[in-house]
Amino acid sequence: MNKPVSIFFAFVLVFSLLLGTMPNANASEIMPYADSEFNSATTLLKATKQVSFRAVTYSVKSSISVSACWLEKKNNDGTWSTVCPLPTPSFVASETFAYATTVDYSDYIGTGTYRIRATYNADGHTITRYSNERTF
Amino acid sequence: MENNRMLIGKLRQALMSGNITYDDIVRRLTKAVEDEYLKPSPNVDFIDTCEKFLWEISTEGQQKFVSVSDHYLEVIKQHSEVKTQARTPNRPVMGFAKRMALICATFALLLCITQGAIHFEWFTQGSSTDKQQYIIQGHGATISLIQKCIAEHDACSELKTSSWDELCDYLGFAPSVISPGVFQLDEALYQVYVEPGIIMVNALYETPPGNATALLTIQYYTDVDEALFIFEQDASGEQISINNHPVYVTTNLNRVSFSWISDSAISILAGTFDYELGEKIVEQLIGGYTQ
């Protein structure tokens, strides 16, 4: 193979690799990731500083739980900062497709605007979702 | 009240004489009712009169008007019948005084509801910032109390069953879910979660392997603070109309989902079924709410 042809093929190869590895910014903006297991995952921060965790899956799971939970506080510039991890609900639903429980986090929430970040776990499949924000 | 009747009389005359169009009268009355609801002390008579007239002209007087409070009264009656049938053997016969007290309490409750608590306005609907989820949030009041009464569960409780009868007995009423055997959705598993502020009814329909599956969730809210429901979607959906009822349709991977609001409840039907089948099911379920 002569030199110009080799350079051409090398160029095509590199270009192809670049295309394959470059993130598609537009796609990530307009195509959010759906979830294959969870139909809904609602984390509700109430005025009482209690938090309700509710989730429904598309099929019966051996176990559904909240495996991680954090408290976040809104900064003056509108951004969010993690305040602390929260104890996860002790309730674990088994052999079912729906999960619901309520936990009191009043000891952790002070004054300001807060939200909860929670990770739901269904047989090892996890999604992390946010609650509504509420000002205390 | 007399002023309200005179106002409606004038509007009726204007409509018949052609001085005002049907669309215009509907728009103006709807706006007047909405404005009245927003007042600190809404004039319930005015609202009832307007809604009755709107109903009359929209049905051309062919159907009897049933106010929201009358509807709730009917629900209570139905509930009372169900409870009586189901529980009479286990309970002593209630004395006359107790029965009267119960009737008075029921009417007191209805009075509270009628005095402004019947309006359930949903104020937030839309996709989350990253379009990952679709959010419905609302505030409302009250019928809640009726739902609580129906459920008769003081604290958090849960039921998982495949028996329709057991589901109805647990709730004390028949929820608007798809009956087994309808729409080729045979096997059903029900899960109910009851808390003071919410009743969550879930039904999972399994059909033979390879066929469609369906999930139906209804959340009956009894407390303004509980009215939040967030479900997954993979792109922004669209709002369609089924039986003149707004329904939000979206997809989550290979599943289509329909969601809608009725009274103080949010419902979502999702699954791998055909879009047309979903529309038919929702049509049935919405019909069930409005009966």
Side-chain angles (χ1 to χ4, degrees), chain B residues 145-245:
Chain B
L145 294 173
I146 297 171
Q147 299 283 10
K148 270 186 195 174
C149 168
I150 291 171
E152 285 193 342
H153 294 281
D154 296 330
C156 300
S157 59
E158 193 180 5
L159 170 75
K160 188 171 64 178
T161 180
S162 56
S163 164
W164 169 256
D165 291 338
E166 191 178 356
L167 171 73
C168 296
D169 188 49
Y170 182 83
L171 289 171
F173 66 101
S176 294
V177 300
I178 312 160
S179 303
V182 180
F183 296 114
Q184 301 172 336
L185 300 174
D186 295 332
E187 301 294 325
L189 178 63
Y190 306 105
Q191 197 272 357
V192 182
Y193 182 82
V194 179
E195 234 187 30
I198 181 176
I199 301 171
M200 188 163 80
V201 179
N202 302 295
L204 182 65
Y205 301 89
E206 298 280 1
T207 54
N211 289 347
T213 59
L215 171 71
L216 177 65
T217 295
I218 308 173
Q219 299 198 353
Y220 299 96
Y221 298 105
T222 63
D223 183 344
V224 51
D225 211 21
E226 296 284 344
L228 177 69
F229 187 28
I230 307 176
F231 53 90
E232 301 293 310
Q233 66 172 13
D234 59 3
S236 55
E238 60 170 344
Q239 184 168 296
I240 64 170
S241 178
I242 298 179
N243 276 356
N244 294 322
H245 200 101

Side-chain angles (χ1 to χ4, degrees), chain A residues 18-136:
Chain A
L18 277 175
L19 273 182
T21 54
M22 275 173 58
N24 187 336
N26 284 337
S28 64
E29 282 172 13
I30 62 171
M31 281 296 292
Y33 302 115
D35 193 79
S36 59
E37 305 299 327
F38 284 94
N39 168 258
S40 64
T42 302
T43 309
L44 170 62
L45 174 56
K46 305 184 195 183
T48 57
K49 299 183 180 178
Q50 290 181 318
V51 175
S52 283
F53 300 91
R54 301 166 193 153
V56 180
T57 57
Y58 287 109
S59 59
V60 173
K61 302 292 179 188
S62 299
S63 76
I64 305 174
S65 63
V66 174
S67 55
C69 195
W70 298 269
L71 179 66
E72 294 189 348
K73 188 173 185 179
K74 199 171 198 175
N75 303 314
N76 290 333
D77 61 0
T79 59
W80 292 88
S81 300
T82 301
V83 177
C84 61
L86 294 168
T88 55
S90 57
F91 175 65
V92 177
S94 58
E95 298 302 329
T96 189
F97 60 100
Y99 177 90
T101 192
T102 299
V103 179
D104 186 350
Y105 288 130
S106 57
D107 289 344
Y108 299 87
I109 299 174
T111 55
T113 302
Y114 291 89
R115 71 179 181 186
I116 306 294
R117 187 168 91 244
T119 299
Y120 292 84
N121 188 321
D123 285 354
H125 175 87
T126 60
I127 59 170
T128 299
R129 299 289 183 262
Y130 293 92
S131 74
N132 57 313
E133 61 182 70
R134 194 177 283 277
T135 302
F136 299 97

Side-chain angles (χ1 to χ4, degrees), chain B residues 107-123:
Chain B
F107 277 101
L109 175 64
L110 273 174
L111 191 64
C112 292
I113 291 165
T114 313
Q115 294 300 318
I118 54 174
H119 189 53
F120 202 95
E121 183 184 1
W122 296 93
F123 61 81

